[in-house]
Amino acid sequence: MEEAVVKQGVLHLQLQQTFGKKWKKFWGILYRESPCSTARLELFEGSAPPAAEKLRKSEGSKKLVKLSDCVHVAEVGGDAGCPKETFPFLLETTDKRFLLAAEGTEVADWIQKLCELAFPRSREEQAGGKDGQQSSQGTDGGVSMEENSLYSSRDKAQRRRKPEPAPCESVGNRRARPHVTC
């Protein structure tokens, strides 16, 4: 079964070394989620697509980024010391940060595709008004105040009574100390 490749191309990855940081060229392949695998970015050493046998056998130096673990994708401002004619962007997962760089014309497309695969719900929420359902988005694309529970009116809000604390049964001139468990 052939997996759906969303995008592929040359990416530069910043690697941490003993004496500073170094950029290394990788061939990046971005895969869509399928019934037998998760959405992911695979990085193969080199600037050319890997041979078909290498893809199946997972030979060579390959880095794998599961997009389900992704928490942040953004363009990086300022000088990151990246290779000429490339622009950096950050891909952050729950346990690691990847500083990548792509050619100027490709950066926005890489970021867009990564965001679409890593955060699929945000695209569904933007579509919101499909199938005859009314969207709860305001004019600026955000959730309107009426739909946000923080700003709901008092008439709609249900008040709960806080349970009263049990009366203290201490006798004498003792002071209460917090109970510490180790």
Side-chain angles (χ1 to χ4, degrees):
M1 186 162 152
E2 194 71 24
E3 292 187 87
V5 174
V6 176
K7 183 166 180 63
Q8 58 182 326
V10 175
L11 289 173
H12 298 267
L13 175 66
Q14 189 180 66
L15 302 171
Q16 183 69 42
Q17 294 186 327
T18 309
F19 299 106
K21 297 172 182 171
K22 175 184 167 187
W23 288 91
K24 194 163 190 176
K25 215 179 242 191
F26 285 87
W27 184 262
I29 303 176
L30 191 57
Y31 290 98
R32 181 180 314 283
E33 185 174 1
S34 70
C36 56
S37 68
T38 69
R40 67 195 183 281
L41 172 64
E42 291 183 1
L43 298 169
F44 296 89
E45 277 190 28
S47 58
E53 309 91 46
K54 211 175 199 183
L55 282 172
R56 273 185 249 122
K57 293 180 183 178
S58 297
E59 289 178 0
S61 295
K62 174 174 107 173
K63 295 190 181 296
L64 178 73
V65 181
K66 290 193 317 186
L67 297 180
S68 59
D69 294 341
C70 189
V71 293
H72 184 71
V73 178
E75 202 168 336
V76 176
D79 182 28
C82 53
K84 285 183 179 180
E85 299 180 16
T86 62
F87 293 94
F89 63 96
L90 180 70
L91 174 63
E92 188 173 357
T93 64
T94 53
D95 60 338
K96 199 167 184 182
R97 297 175 97 186
F98 297 91
L99 187 57
L100 298 157
E103 288 185 21
T105 57
E106 294 288 313
V107 173
D109 194 36
W110 275 106
I111 292 172
Q112 179 188 359
K113 300 278 194 243
L114 283 164
C115 286
E116 286 174 4
L117 296 177
F119 315 114
R121 299 188 104 192
S122 61
R123 198 172 70 189
E124 292 168 10
E125 288 169 358
Q126 287 174 358
K130 287 185 178 177
D131 301 331
Q133 296 175 352
Q134 211 171 23
S135 173
S136 64
Q137 294 183 349
T139 56
D140 62 349
V143 176
S144 65
M145 290 199 335
E146 294 83 25
E147 296 298 321
N148 189 331
S149 62
L150 289 174
Y151 298 107
S152 64
S153 68
R154 285 187 177 199
D155 299 336
K156 293 179 183 177
Q158 295 179 359
R159 294 184 183 230
R160 289 189 211 162
R161 287 197 140 200
K162 291 183 181 176
E164 292 187 26
C168 185
E169 296 179 13
S170 63
V171 179
N173 293 334
R174 298 182 187 161
R175 288 189 177 201
R177 288 189 234 170
H179 179 68
V180 179
T181 57
C182 295

